[in-house]
Amino acid sequence: MTRKSAGNIVILTGAGISADSGIQTFRGSDGLWCGHRVEDVATPEAFRANPALVQDFYNRRRRQLLEPSIQPNAAHIALAELEKNWRGDITIVTQNIDDLHDRAGNKNLIHMHGELLSVFCNKCETRFHCREDVTTDHVCANCQETGTVRPDIVWFGEMPYRMDEIYEALSYCDLFIAIGTSGHVYPAAGFVAHAGLNGAKTVEINIEESQVASVFDEHISGRAAETVPEYVKQLLTYPDI
Ligand code: APR
């Protein structure tokens, strides 16, 4: 990673930033995940036990993401503007598997939990861009094996992607911002402590306090689509962080 100057920012985003684009968050009041128990759809064991159910779950989410009504909202757009205009490094670490940060224009972006529009083959490990449904009789275009292509999603029990790069960015950031994440899932929920211990100022933006709210220096309350553009405007106007 190239370091431009001091003033580096790491921004962790979660389902709350995409809620304002019409994508449902994970932890609703019923404790279910879009109607399913986590262990039935988001573990390697679930995929082995019932691949059709798991593929169907992600097919439905992929189709929803590709609906014309689902677009980056003002929060995604503000973060892309920040990356273009900020003097230091902006690293977005997203837990979201949608592509709304990509579409908004952020380039220095880490999809730590994978991407809905990507699949890979369990046998030959080839990755493919994917905008279609995947069924259990899908044939891998590289190794020709049947039924081995799975969603490129980091499931529970699997290692999130690009952790070395994330911890490096956290170690060198001056400001850490978490937007729309409940703080239930580690390692992401521990990033605030890591950044804080390394001297960063830490800010949480959420409609409610997260599980790890007490670890942050500051909490900004409100919907991401309203609070994030305001916060970015302030940062660009008074860039002394
Ligand atoms: N603006 C800001 N915050 C919001 C908004 C909004 N419009 N709507 C909801 N939120 C907040 C909620 O208050 C909650 O704290 O967003 C958070 C969403 O929390 P979760 O649904 O738990 O999503 P997230 O934290 O991203 O989940 C982390 O867990 O299930 C796994 O791998 C999955 O990436 C996911 C990870």
Side-chain angles (χ1 to χ4, degrees):
M1 183 196 294
T2 54
R3 254 173 260 299
K4 293 176 197 159
S5 66
N8 298 322
I9 304 177
V10 174
I11 302 166
L12 173 70
T13 63
I17 195 168
S18 294
D20 287 333
S21 292
I23 298 178
Q24 203 183 327
T25 60
F26 293 101
R27 289 174 186 76
S29 49
D30 55 5
L32 293 178
W33 240 45
C34 308
H36 291 275
R37 294 187 315 149
V38 169
E39 50 274 35
D40 292 339
V41 288
T43 62
E45 294 75 23
F47 187 61
R48 279 196 292 276
N50 195 343
L53 175 78
V54 174
Q55 294 285 18
D56 179 58
F57 177 76
Y58 288 101
N59 286 340
R60 280 187 281 126
R61 302 196 66 201
R62 193 179 300 112
R63 268 184 251 140
Q64 186 207 16
L65 176 61
L66 294 173
E67 280 169 15
S69 61
I70 304 291
Q71 297 294 337
N73 64 56
H76 297 102
I77 291 164
L79 295 183
E81 283 302 307
L82 184 64
E83 186 181 310
K84 267 191 223 132
N85 296 307
W86 186 249
R87 70 179 192 283
D89 290 323
I90 301 289
T91 306
I92 309 269
V93 180
T94 188
Q95 299 168 89
N96 298 341
I97 56 174
D98 64 54
D99 65 341
L100 298 180
H101 286 303
D102 308 69
R103 286 197 233 167
N106 275 107
K107 303 281 181 244
N108 197 15
L109 172 62
I110 298 177
H111 277 278
M112 67 176 289
H113 288 168
E115 295 178 64
L116 206 42
L117 301 185
S118 174
V119 292
F120 72 92
C121 174
N122 256 333
K123 184 159 180 243
C124 68
E125 297 185 356
T126 306
R127 285 192 152 68
F128 304 95
H129 184 70
C130 175
R131 299 175 75 84
E132 312 293 333
D133 283 3
V134 182
T135 56
T136 50
D137 54 9
H138 186 96
V139 177
C140 171
N142 183 53
C143 70
Q144 316 304 324
E145 199 72 26
T146 301
T148 49
V149 169
R150 57 161 274 185
D152 192 0
I153 307 294
V154 176
W155 286 325
F156 286 90
E158 298 183 318
M159 179 62 82
Y161 296 148
R162 300 172 63 184
M163 291 305 294
D164 290 352
E165 283 171 73
I166 295 172
Y167 280 116
E168 197 200 350
L170 289 169
S171 299
Y172 289 101
C173 72
D174 302 287
L175 176 62
F176 172 80
I177 309 166
I179 304 170
T181 177
S182 61
H184 276 97
V185 173
Y186 284 82
F191 292 169
V192 56
H194 189 91
L197 282 172
N198 282 284
K201 178 182 173 191
T202 57
V203 179
E204 171 169 271
I205 302 181
N206 201 309
I207 48 173
E208 62 191 9
E209 293 201 337
S210 73
Q211 289 289 106
V212 289
S214 63
V215 187
F216 285 86
D217 298 319
E218 189 182 335
H219 181 89
I220 296 172
S221 187
R223 303 182 71 83
E226 288 159 11
T227 49
V228 174
E230 262 171 48
Y231 187 75
V232 165
K233 195 172 156 197
Q234 249 184 45
L235 271 178
L236 291 172
T237 313
Y238 306 105
D240 283 339
I241 53 172

